[in-house]
Amino acid sequence: MKIGKLKRYLPRGRHVVIGVPFLWLFLFFLLPFFIVLKISFAEADVAIPPYTEIYSWAENQLQIVLNLGNYIFLSEDELYLAAYLGSLKMATISTLLCLLIGYPMAYAIARASKEMQTTLLLLIMMPTWTAILIRVYAWMGILSNNGLLNGFLQMLGVINEPLQILNTNLAVYIGVVYSYLPFMILPLYANLVKHDHSLLEAASDLGSSTFNSFWKITVPLSKNGIVAGSMLVFIPVVGEFVIPELLGGPETLMIGKVLWQEFFNNRDWPVASALAVVMLAILIVPIILFNRNQAKEMEGRA
Amino acid sequence: MKRFSFSNFMLWAGLAFIYLPMLIMVIYSFNASKLVTVWGGWSLKWYAGLLDNNQLMGSVLRSLEIACYTAIAAVALGTVAAFVLTRVTRFKGRTLFGGLVTAPLVMPEVITGLSLLLLFVAMAQLIGWPAERGVLTIWIAHTTFCSAYVAVVVSARLRELDLSIEEAAMDLGAKPWKVFFLITIPMIAPSLAAGGMMSFALSLDDLVLASFVSGPGSTTLPMEVFSAVRLGVKPEINAVASLILLTVSIFTFFAWYFARRAEEKRKRAIQQAMEETTSETWSAKAA
């Protein structure tokens, strides 16, 4: 065999460079979703692992049995529908709150002096690297009936009886906004800092009010940042487990928590898989939107 | 009076909102009282108690071990992915590749965790590997999602780089891998350090993925804390939580420090080069 021919069989450098991360992500990120899809069509079984195979091979016949029972079960039980709606509502409202609070913060950072910007960014970024679990836990002590917030309000004489905040939806909103706020601020800042100020100056020279030029120039220009930030908050919050588990109460119905219980407490892997498939189907549009946006950011050389 | 604008007010209020709860928790970890909400004077007893807790210490070591492996692997994998995204412009499946790199950033953790566990179970049935779930499977899970963060950080830096230096090296006959290791890597080193520390912190912090893919006997620190926290607020947990905050803050500070020092060095080099050129032009004119 000639050396040239041998070389063709060996992967060329370029293929190795692309292949290694591709293979890893394919094997440990993409392929698992197909397995979830497969198991969502299986039946629960008392075995290890606790589900039945969906295909069988006997007498030269390949039989694939798709059991739709899990999906029918999901649509019949009101608990699951309520959990999906609860998650979507929680995610939508939290995203809006994060946007309302985060936009002015990102704007202020983008307008600060260069040295100040790095320090402020560090201050915003640091909590995202710190245990979300611990930051949520910190709120448990503050929001509980005999916690600091109630103590403070009682001391001021605003209330006589302690307010029930912990274990309600309000506590979950506080926890979610608190945990995800940096994920809104960072992409917004990255976008706002690139803006050309001469546009705003031109607008004010032409007699536009500050608010008007903000609304007509800054906001439309920051569209990509708003989309990226909103998706970074919305998508993970839909599947959030830790925050509703620690801060939420019986009224808090969220799909991440239900999936967790279905999997760990009821050990019903097929139903848990079906829950995940439906959740993914709901999120597919926002995920594609985020990926497109991110691809534009990553490729566009400004 | 631009300094007291609405956005500045929101910034400081927001920062207070972010930091006050953590500060309060740290202060209360020094509370001598057994009741979490009643202040009973300063004390270190909850910290001293931690050292005797063998189970907790074991989980701390396990978490640190996984975080180290994750940081190394995620930087390697994430850097290659970022390089492909920014430098290899055209190949089949590029859109899919880009999607695969960024999707772990947003994917709800319960979905990623569940799907990875089902993969491991299926693989164990099919090829007998992994025989048992533990440090190795948690490492794989963490590496997958941390490399997405590294890819974003590194690709931002790669896009800013001046391509002409790499091109010059190639023109002078350097092989691509040599250019990558001798020129590209040193130039993006601060972002690699930042990405590595970020992965370390993220891995140290993860509860949901680890809960899904760990086996019996491989409890990580967040899992340990979570099972304690579920039962309510306790002074010991305040102490553990404060120590975790301290560790991560130190790592963040170093990440910031490395990035800043590299930036200053670069600025100085540019300034020096400019001064030299100016003085040369001057002396040339004088002569």
Side-chain angles (χ1 to χ4, degrees), chain B residues 240-262:
Chain B
V240 182
S242 305
L243 285 178
I244 297 175
L245 274 189
L246 180 74
T247 318
V248 178
S249 314
I250 290 172
F251 267 92
T252 320
F253 176 78
F254 277 121
W256 169 76
Y257 179 76
F258 281 133
R260 208 187 68 144
R261 210 180 52 170

Side-chain angles (χ1 to χ4, degrees), chain A residues 14 17 22 24 32 36 122-123 130-132 134 137 146 148 178 245 263 291 294 297-299 301, chain B residues 17-19 24 37 80 86 90 94 97 102 114-115 117 144 159 205 230 233-234 238 244-245 256:
Chain A
R14 191 181 131 97
V17 171
F22 199 99
W24 180 287
V36 172
L122 179 82
L123 283 175
T130 327
I132 190 174
I134 283 167
Y137 165 74
N146 49 4
L148 280 172
Y178 180 72
E245 175 73 18
F263 187 84
N291 271 336
Q294 205 65 19
E297 287 281 305
M298 276 194 167
E299 278 157 34
R301 301 186 180 199
Chain B
F17 172 61
I18 289 175
Y19 281 94
I24 290 170
T37 47
V80 178
T86 48
R90 239 175 255 143
R94 211 204 120 105
F97 185 80
T102 49
L114 176 73
S115 61
L117 171 67
T144 307
R159 254 179 292 126
D205 166 29
R230 262 179 156 170
V233 182
K234 279 190 222 119
N238 280 340
I244 297 175
L245 274 189
W256 169 76

Side-chain angles (χ1 to χ4, degrees), chain A residues 23 43 52 75 93 147 149 163 183 212 222 256 265 268 275 292 295:
Chain A
L23 210 65
E43 271 177 75
T52 56
S75 64
I93 296 177
L149 184 66
L163 296 171
F183 292 103
N212 194 37
S222 58
N265 303 355
D268 195 335
L275 279 168
R292 282 235 180 105

Side-chain angles (χ1 to χ4, degrees), chain A residues 220-270:
Chain A
L221 278 178
S222 58
K223 197 189 118 213
N224 281 350
I226 295 176
V227 172
S230 301
M231 294 304 117
L232 270 177
V233 175
F234 184 85
I235 303 168
V237 172
V238 169
E240 185 54 55
F241 164 72
V242 177
I243 302 171
E245 175 73 18
L246 294 183
L247 300 179
E251 58 171 315
T252 316
L253 264 179
M254 284 181 72
I255 203 66
K257 207 174 136 183
V258 173
L259 192 154
W260 182 283
Q261 279 161 356
E262 212 58 68
F263 187 84
F264 284 107
N265 303 355
N266 301 346
R267 282 189 64 77
D268 195 335
W269 291 18

Side-chain angles (χ1 to χ4, degrees), chain A residues 150-166:
Chain A
N150 271 317
F152 184 66
L153 290 177
Q154 275 175 316
M155 200 182 72
L156 289 180
V158 183
I159 51 168
N160 296 320
E161 297 267 299
L163 296 171
Q164 168 77 35
I165 305 177
L166 189 65

